[in-house]
């Protein structure tokens, strides 16, 4: 299992208190991998490996993000969105730019 900020999401806001706050970045920036890259790496290692992005609900506990004003403001909404990503019609969005935190 891998869990990390999603390189496809244009906002990276999973920083420690005292570091930089949320920052915008290009989805082409090589620093944060995207689902497609992780899937490609796994299949290059072994074509039989199954790769699936799942909702980060229950994995992300919002401790770091609540230290920032936007984390306190949006953590409930983000937690609700992560919960919604567990629903069958929305599961594919877990690997999209609409999910700020990948769990693969």
């Amino acid at each position: 299992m891998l869990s990390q900020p999603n390189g496809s999401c244009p906002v990276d806001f999973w920083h420690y208190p005292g570091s930089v706050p949320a920052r915008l970045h290009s989805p082409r920036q090589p620093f944060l991998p995207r689902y497609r890259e992780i899937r490609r790496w796994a299949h290059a290692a072994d074509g039989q490996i199954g790769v699936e992005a799942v909702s980060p609900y229950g994995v992300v506990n919002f401790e770091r993000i609540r230290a920032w004003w936007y984390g306190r403001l949006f953590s409930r909404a983000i937690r609700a969105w992560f919960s919604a990503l567990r629903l069958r019609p929305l599961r594919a969005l877990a690997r999209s730019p609409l999910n700020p935190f990948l769990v693969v």
Side-chain angles (χ1 to χ4, degrees), residues 12-92:
D12 177 13
F13 55 89
W14 306 97
H15 296 277
Y16 288 100
S19 67
V20 297
R23 67 180 182 89
L24 297 176
H25 65 88
S26 167
R28 290 186 209 80
Q29 183 179 14
F31 178 67
L32 295 172
R34 297 174 293 281
Y35 173 78
R36 288 187 317 253
E37 292 170 325
I38 294 169
R39 185 171 177 226
R40 189 172 0 132
W41 296 336
H43 288 172
D46 181 346
Q48 300 299 315
I49 293 176
V51 180
E52 179 182 357
V54 296
S55 169
Y57 185 83
V59 174
V60 177
N61 59 15
F62 298 93
E63 286 180 24
R64 291 184 209 160
I65 196 171
R66 279 195 304 250
W68 298 101
W69 68 267
Y70 55 83
R72 291 186 294 276
L73 182 65
F74 295 115
S75 63
R76 285 190 180 137
I78 294 169
R79 193 180 315 254
W81 174 241
F82 287 172
S83 180
L85 289 175
R86 297 182 303 168
L87 301 172
R88 187 175 307 275
L90 299 178
R91 284 183 188 163

